[in-house]
Amino acid sequence: QAQLVQSGAEVKKPGASVTVSCKASGYTLANNHMYWVRQAPGQGLEWMGTINPSGGTTSYAQKFQGRLTVTRDLSTGTVYMELSGLRSEDTAVYYCARGNFGVNTPGLWFDPWGQGTPVIVSS
Amino acid sequence: DIQMTQSPSSLSAFVGDTVTITCRASQTISTYLNWYQQKPGQAPKVLIYSASNLQSGVPSTFRGSGSGTDFTLTISSLQPEDSATYYCQQSYSAPWTFGQGTKVEIK
């Protein structure tokens, strides 16, 4: 059964960078795109970026262009999300989620999700 | 960007009731619509994908319908464990966007 396990909570100062890892098990990482979604306290869900682990290609939400870097290590089955230039508004829980494409149905959905990594940005 | 609007923002119902949550897209998205359930302190979990397909392991009391711009999630025979926040998400085009969520409480 596919499972995603993320690294632990982080506390960072404004201007710093944070890296969150997401280790996949139960399936081959290269076979599915991985997505990063965040959720600010009491707020909804926001897609940040995507990586195709097979070739390493990425796409990022415009809001995070220049600050977000997503990479992967196929040898360890791990995807990394680095967000730089942190500000208080980046305080959120960060999730990785595997993308699934329908064979006989259109669309893309996220399943499973990692357990989430809280990131607190505070001086 | 495609905007997703859910209604209501919250609702309260009795065990055994049937509740309906609606999701409207700012442009047509065919059936590229998913529904997620999120309980406090947990990651979201997919319930319905491609508008009407029940994810494996999800109770049949959950049903999704709709196409184009208007979609519904129906929960029949509401149970205490259905207390959660529900999100719709479009997968028609990037950026992948979510509705603001509907909080379902049990009376």
Side-chain angles (χ1 to χ4, degrees):
Chain A
Q1 183 178 357
Q3 186 177 11
L4 303 175
V5 177
Q6 298 182 220
S7 50
E10 301 269 8
V11 179
K12 296 292 183 180
K13 293 193 181 303
S17 298
V18 68
T19 298
V20 178
S21 66
C22 170
K23 183 172 177 58
S25 62
Y27 77 101
T28 301
L29 180 66
N31 289 349
N32 296 75
H33 293 192
M34 192 73 80
Y35 297 76
W36 286 92
V37 175
R38 77 176 186 181
Q39 185 171 39
Q43 302 300 307
L45 301 164
E46 179 179 34
W47 170 71
M48 300 176 66
T50 304
I51 187 167
N52 178 350
S54 177
T57 55
T58 56
S59 64
Y60 303 133
Q62 186 171 10
K63 174 177 181 177
F64 300 102
Q65 291 277 0
R67 288 208 299 145
L68 177 63
T69 304
V70 178
T71 57
R72 92 297 191 214
D73 182 341
L74 292 178
S75 67
T76 61
T78 304
V79 173
Y80 300 90
M81 185 280 298
E82 179 185 14
L83 188 62
S84 62
L86 290 171
R87 31 208 191 230
S88 58
E89 310 89 88
D90 294 318
T91 294
V93 177
Y94 290 75
Y95 295 100
C96 58
R98 186 183 72 170
N100 299 272
F101 291 96
V103 175
N104 299 312
T105 58
L108 152 73
W109 60 96
F110 304 146
D111 177 69
W113 295 59
Q115 82 276 19
T117 296
V119 175
I120 296 173
V121 182
S122 174
S123 55
Chain B
D1 298 4
I2 299 174
Q3 308 303 316
M4 307 301 294
T5 304
Q6 289 181 232
S7 61
S9 297
S10 64
L11 66 88
S12 183
F14 291 100
V15 171
D17 281 353
T18 293
V19 301
T20 299
I21 300 168
T22 65
C23 177
R24 174 164 289 175
S26 61
Q27 66 182 74
T28 184
I29 58 170
S30 183
T31 57
Y32 291 75
L33 190 283
N34 308 311
W35 290 98
Y36 299 86
Q37 175 193 66
Q38 187 180 33
K39 297 182 178 180
Q42 296 184 18
K45 163 189 159 183
V46 66
L47 300 174
I48 303 286
Y49 62 91
S50 302
S52 61
N53 294 272
L54 191 68
Q55 174 71 347
S56 176
V58 174
S60 58
T61 52
F62 291 90
R63 187 173 70 89
S65 63
S67 66
T69 61
D70 295 314
F71 302 86
T72 60
L73 174 69
T74 301
I75 311 172
S76 58
S77 187
L78 194 68
Q79 298 299 305
E81 57 267 28
D82 298 332
S83 178
T85 300
Y86 294 84
Y87 294 93
C88 62
Q89 175 243 329
Q90 63 83 17
S91 65
Y92 184 80
S93 65
W96 319 113
T97 47
F98 295 82
Q100 81 278 15
T102 296
K103 187 173 184 179
V104 174
E105 296 179 324
I106 309 298
K107 286 182 180 176

